Amino acid sequence: MKKLFCGLLTCLLLLTVSVANAEVRKDRIQLREDHPTEYVVVKGDTLWDISGRFLQHPWQWPDVWEVNPQIYNPHLIYPGDIIYLSWVNGQPRLSMRPGVARLSPKARVSPLDDAIPAIPLKDIIAFLSDHLVADEDLLNNAPYVVGGRNNRIIAGAGDRVYARGELKSDERLQAVYRPATQYLDPVTGEFLGYEMLKIADTSIPAKDKDVITLDLSKTREEVRLLDRVLPIEETPIQSLFQPSAVPEGTEGLILSVLGGVAKIGQYNAVAVNVGARDSVEPGNVMSIYRTGENVRDPVTGERIALPDERAGLLMLFKVFEKVSYGLVLNASNVMSVGDKVFEP
């Protein structure tokens, strides 16, 4: 009987410890030691900046945000609003009350452009609108530039050029793209897609069989032979992101740095070899680990690999089938192409 009682007691203790550990795993919210009790939002803030004042891990903002239904459009935050910290059932909560400057008995109109963005959009706006990743079929079958008026082989805004092929859309307004980078998986060698850079906006005044007339309007570079004509993306530009962890077990590598820089730091945009097929979505957060250097042991002379070290955090902001774009939001070390990305 005593053995049975001891066994039951042991099981009960193990169950208690298991539940406690589960709660600890579930409750990973950690406040900064120097967190304020409240903060007044100012112009130029981002949700990431604000949450970083309170939380050790800013991407956990949605887990502690308490929506007040009495506030006009509670999902948006504006300069002058006050973010304050409170505790509910022993858990931290961040809440908002409108700033005094915006209180009025009159109807209030708050332009969406004035709302505080989740991340610094100025660092990714060009990549949201002017970059896409195309598969081989789309690239090979898109119409291509064959020449310009008066035998020109390069052209700019205001010029007329001609392309040949079958348009992917009947829309009059389309865009001219140029393949900039071929993405291959560094581990498997799988072809992941072509990074396509938008070169120009164009209108299509005429089409004669498979020859297409293009009138170039806004251009960022000179249009050249073999540039491709593709429809302008119809998906709206996403400006409000809800940060969350990528699915458990998701891992990948940094493929390239967008914008032509060599080293990676805070607010650089990168491409990674995870995409929609890996069930990731815009707003997902990943940790970046700098690959450990390969050094020579001064005693034995053998080559050894130093351990990988955490170097930063990125948020995915644009997801394609096999590739995603992410913005580096925190950087504790210099990062490079080939560094690893994992769930945070």
Side-chain angles (χ1 to χ4, degrees):
M1 184 71 180
K2 183 177 180 181
K3 290 183 178 179
L4 177 61
F5 175 76
C6 291
L8 290 174
L9 181 60
T10 301
C11 290
L12 180 60
L13 289 173
L14 289 174
L15 179 62
T16 303
V17 172
S18 176
V19 171
N21 286 339
E23 288 300 317
V24 170
R25 287 193 299 269
K26 181 180 178 183
D27 181 23
R28 298 178 182 177
I29 304 300
Q30 294 182 339
L31 296 174
R32 289 179 48 148
E33 293 184 359
D34 59 347
H35 67 81
T37 55
E38 64 177 42
Y39 175 73
V40 180
V41 181
V42 299
K43 187 175 181 180
D45 275 339
T46 65
L47 294 182
W48 192 271
D49 297 331
I50 297 171
S51 58
R53 293 177 179 271
F54 293 89
L55 306 176
Q56 286 192 15
H57 306 296
W59 65 270
Q60 294 178 317
W61 171 276
D63 295 332
V64 297
W65 180 245
E66 186 173 61
V67 172
N68 185 346
Q70 297 179 343
I71 294 177
Y72 174 78
N73 205 340
H75 298 286
L76 298 180
I77 300 175
Y78 297 86
D81 286 337
I82 301 171
I83 309 299
Y84 63 93
L85 175 67
S86 62
W87 295 85
V88 178
N89 297 325
Q91 299 298 317
R93 290 289 182 270
L94 292 175
S95 307
M96 178 185 75
R97 52 177 175 263
V100 176
R102 295 198 296 113
L103 294 177
S104 171
K106 300 179 182 178
R108 182 183 67 197
V109 177
S110 297
L112 292 181
D113 289 346
D114 292 342
I116 297 300
I119 58 179
L121 295 179
K122 64 181 178 62
D123 293 300
I124 64 170
I125 192 67
F127 306 114
L128 284 169
S129 59
D130 295 344
H131 289 65
L132 60 85
V133 176
D135 59 31
E136 199 161 14
D137 181 68
L138 178 61
L139 178 68
N140 291 339
N141 293 303
Y144 52 90
V145 175
V146 294
R149 181 183 286 171
N150 300 323
N151 293 321
R152 290 184 180 177
I153 58 173
I154 58 175
D159 290 334
R160 171 168 287 186
V161 298
Y162 302 92
R164 188 180 186 194
E166 190 65 32
L167 290 169
K168 301 299 179 184
S169 166
D170 293 330
E171 296 294 326
R172 182 174 177 274
L173 299 178
Q174 299 203 27
V176 177
Y177 286 86
R178 179 177 303 151
T181 303
Q182 180 181 359
Y183 290 131
L184 298 175
D185 190 287
V187 178
T188 66
E190 178 189 8
F191 172 76
L192 304 177
Y194 292 101
E195 180 192 346
M196 305 291 288
L197 175 65
K198 187 166 82 169
I199 302 300
D201 293 315
T202 183
S203 60
I204 303 175
K207 185 176 182 296
D208 183 10
K209 296 180 182 178
D210 63 347
V211 177
I212 308 159
T213 303
L214 307 172
D215 286 335
L216 304 178
S217 52
K218 181 181 177 182
T219 57
R220 58 180 301 169
E221 291 186 26
E222 295 171 323
V223 173
R224 304 172 185 169
L225 301 181
L226 297 179
D227 286 343
R228 306 289 170 154
V229 182
L230 293 170
I232 297 174
E233 283 191 293
E234 296 181 356
T235 53
I237 293 177
Q238 183 169 347
S239 60
L240 186 62
F241 298 88
Q242 289 292 327
S244 61
V246 293
E248 186 175 355
T250 302
E251 59 183 65
L253 298 168
I254 295 178
L255 296 173
S256 71
V257 193
L258 306 181
V261 298
K263 293 296 183 179
I264 304 169
Q266 187 178 32
Y267 300 145
N268 282 145
V270 299
V272 296
N273 64 336
V274 296
R277 67 175 180 176
D278 303 297
S279 300
V280 301
E281 57 187 26
N284 281 171
V285 174
M286 303 188 78
S287 293
I288 306 171
Y289 280 79
R290 180 167 176 78
T291 302
E293 298 177 3
N294 193 280
V295 299
R296 188 179 68 84
D297 187 308
V299 175
T300 65
E302 62 183 325
R303 304 296 300 186
I304 59 172
L306 300 182
D308 299 338
E309 293 187 353
R310 183 176 171 130
L313 195 72
L314 65 81
M315 177 188 287
L316 303 181
F317 63 84
K318 194 169 186 179
V319 174
F320 304 96
E321 180 60 23
K322 301 177 183 178
V323 176
S324 297
Y325 293 157
L327 181 68
V328 177
L329 291 166
N330 292 119
S332 57
N333 197 354
V334 175
M335 294 154 279
S336 306
V337 171
D339 285 347
K340 300 167 183 154
V341 290
F342 298 97
E343 57 185 299

